[in-house]
Amino acid sequence: MLLLSDPSVGRTPIRECGEPLVDLRTVPALRVDPRMAPTGPGHAHLRLGVVDRLVTAQTYLPPGLYFLVIEGFRPVALQTEYFDAHKDRLRAAEPGHGEDWYHVRASRYISPPDVAPHVAGAAVDLTLCDVDGAELWLGTEVNDTDTEDCHTASPSVTGEAADRRRMLSDALTSAGFVNYPTEWWHWSHGDRYWARVTDAEAARYGPAELP
């Protein structure tokens, strides 16, 4: 399993393409959940090319299913806050390890800020909903990392939830996204992790800022 803390991800060059961040709330085809709104307007933004691919991916879903976007762009300061807080929780729960251990362990679920796909506006956390916008069950809540059921290929997730994960994965993969395998809801395109997984020469997106 390739983690975002892997040195090869950080060594991947960036050839910034300059695409703007787009507010998903202005894209009629997409549904944005408001639960992350208290963190700021970034949650509803993604790079233009990522938005286009997301709209395309949604057309690959079975009739009656739609994406429900939970979070897109995160400012560097917010990503740093998340990452440091997770390391602090790990220190409290599992004391006695070195700083490198906590860094790698934290990166299983929270990306180090210097390589974070969300910081580039290249990553989206999402799930599925029905035509009325009601969120569907995919085995865990989005952002619930308390058990390994959140791993995309978790064998503990079966039945309808597993089928929905496969539908989600098939649609997004077909549109050029890659998944972070410890989080079934996290998908990205054009960032350093995507470039490393797909053997691209460089990432298309580096750290971004809201207009």
Side-chain angles (χ1 to χ4, degrees):
M1 183 183 296
L2 180 68
L3 296 179
L4 279 154
S5 60
D6 191 291
S8 66
V9 178
R11 290 195 298 267
T12 302
I14 299 170
R15 296 176 188 162
E16 175 60 57
C17 68
E19 286 180 3
L21 290 166
V22 174
D23 190 335
L24 302 179
R25 294 167 295 189
T26 68
V27 181
L30 297 175
R31 293 158 172 78
V32 181
D33 187 278
R35 76 187 70 175
M36 299 303 293
T39 67
H43 79 286
H45 288 71
L46 289 170
R47 295 287 192 128
L48 176 60
V50 179
V51 176
D52 289 343
R53 288 179 181 275
L54 192 57
V55 172
T56 298
Q58 186 167 256
T59 67
Y60 300 147
L61 291 173
L65 293 183
Y66 301 86
F67 293 132
L68 182 64
V69 174
I70 307 300
E71 187 174 19
F73 172 70
R74 287 182 198 150
V76 173
L78 182 59
Q79 186 71 31
T80 302
E81 178 184 331
Y82 286 170
F83 191 69
D84 289 347
H86 191 49
K87 286 199 294 184
D88 288 343
R89 288 192 294 271
L90 288 170
R91 290 188 187 98
E94 302 183 61
H97 296 282
E99 184 59 28
D100 286 348
W101 187 92
Y102 292 114
H103 182 89
V104 171
R105 189 74 173 178
S107 74
R108 290 171 65 89
Y109 300 114
I110 306 289
S111 174
D114 57 328
V115 296
H118 282 289
V119 168
V124 59
D125 295 340
L126 79 176
T127 186
L128 295 175
C129 67
D130 64 20
V131 67
D132 296 320
E135 184 175 348
L136 303 179
W137 180 246
L138 272 71
T140 72
E141 300 287 350
V142 172
N143 291 328
D144 180 359
T145 57
D146 287 344
T147 75
E148 292 191 354
D149 286 354
C150 66
H151 290 197
T152 307
S154 171
S156 299
V157 178
T158 59
E160 193 171 34
D163 291 341
R164 289 169 176 163
R165 284 195 190 186
R166 282 191 289 272
M167 293 172 191
L168 183 85
S169 296
D170 288 348
L172 289 161
T173 301
S174 295
F177 287 89
V178 300
N179 172 243
Y180 195 51
T182 65
E183 300 175 341
W184 61 262
W185 56 82
H186 178 101
W187 295 80
S188 69
H189 177 88
D191 61 291
R192 279 172 154 174
Y193 189 81
W194 165 88
R196 175 67 179 78
V197 170
T198 63
D199 293 324
E201 292 184 357
R204 303 184 67 233
Y205 308 121
E209 294 183 4
L210 286 172

